[in-house]
Amino acid sequence: MQLVLERCTIRPWRLDDAESLARHANNRKIWLAVRDLFPHPYTIQDAHEFLQRTISEGLAMKFCIEIDGVAVGGIGVHPGEDVHRHTATMGYWLGEEFWGRGVMTQAVTAVTDFCFENFLLRRISAEVFANNPASARVLEKAGFTFEGCLKSDVLKDGKVLDSLLYARTT
Ligand SMILES: CC(C)(COP(=O)(O)OP(=O)(O)OC[C@H]1O[C@@H](n2cnc3c(N)ncnc32)[C@H](O)[C@@H]1OP(=O)(O)O)[C@@H](O)C(=O)NCCC(=O)NCCS
């Protein structure tokens, strides 16, 4: 799978992405917006482990965001199970030096379209911490609908936060 877009390319992760992955992912501002599963500090060892795990999963829908030939971000689609097997959730991050150029809006739109076209999915959702208006804006621009505010849903960095639920359906 490779999606060549105007502002970036979406492609599978490769083992040789480790150095650039660690460099761009090692950012507290990114960590504050994502799950605690995402390491901080993000070391080269974390990058090697993530890449080995992801590549060995084979069918994993976890993709690299590449700009100018370098891995600078990630976008992952996580399929639901059981009665949620026609749904998926999405998560994403981008290296700070590339923020504000419309990269993630394009990436989220293209990956969502790709998943609806190629998998038996009827719904893709994403949850944004309520203190992250930039990510909420990305989802709105990518055609996601705001479905509601989940009160006190998240405990991040010692603070209880609401999260905002967005989804696109077919
Ligand atoms: C959130 C993130 C993915 C955005 O990526 P990006 O490529 O900069 O996003 P885009 O440039 O496509 O769009 C950003 C939009 O948010 C807007 N925005 C930025 N900061 C904002 C703020 N503080 N308040 C409101 N809107 C804001 C921008 O103006 C832009 O909207 P516009 O095109 O209408 O002007 C990126 O900042 C990031 O990786 N952050 C850390 C990790 C993260 O938040 N992941 C998502 C977890 S749900």
Side-chain angles (χ1 to χ4, degrees):
M1 177 275 200
Q2 174 151 301
L3 303 174
V4 180
L5 310 173
E6 190 194 331
R7 295 180 170 84
C8 63
T9 294
I10 311 292
R11 60 156 173 84
W13 286 102
R14 299 190 308 244
L15 288 176
D16 66 357
D17 289 323
E19 208 171 299
S20 54
L21 168 58
R23 182 158 76 84
H24 292 285
N26 186 30
N27 182 332
R28 185 170 159 78
K29 289 186 197 163
I30 293 175
W31 177 79
L32 282 171
V34 298
R35 292 175 186 230
D36 286 344
L37 193 76
F38 195 93
H40 188 72
Y42 202 114
T43 65
I44 188 76
Q45 183 61 26
D46 293 319
H48 285 305
E49 282 172 18
F50 169 80
L51 292 170
Q52 270 155 14
R53 202 170 53 239
T54 299
I55 291 164
S56 69
E57 279 170 13
L59 284 174
M61 291 192 280
K62 291 181 192 157
F63 305 112
C64 160
I65 300 173
E66 179 185 289
I67 296 178
D68 296 334
V70 178
V72 299
I75 181 163
V77 180
H78 313 287
E81 292 178 353
D82 201 277
V83 294
H84 299 298
R85 59 189 176 272
H86 64 300
T87 75
T89 57
M90 177 181 271
Y92 45 82
W93 65 272
L94 183 68
E96 186 173 359
E97 65 195 79
F98 301 97
W99 291 2
R101 302 184 192 175
V103 172
M104 198 54 87
T105 300
Q106 207 169 62
V108 168
T109 305
V111 170
T112 306
D113 290 346
F114 173 83
C115 288
F116 281 143
E117 283 161 18
N118 291 279
F119 305 107
L120 295 171
L121 290 175
R122 299 292 307 273
R123 170 187 170 90
I124 297 179
S125 61
E127 287 174 18
V128 178
F129 304 164
N131 60 0
N132 189 358
S135 185
R137 182 78 189 119
V138 164
L139 292 167
E140 280 164 10
K141 288 193 295 176
F144 284 61
T145 301
F146 174 64
E147 294 190 336
C149 174
L150 311 180
K151 290 289 181 190
S152 303
D153 187 45
V154 166
L155 178 61
K156 184 73 191 185
D157 195 32
K159 296 187 192 85
V160 175
L161 301 170
D162 297 345
S163 62
L164 310 175
L165 175 61
Y166 283 84
R168 241 182 82 181
T169 54
T170 58

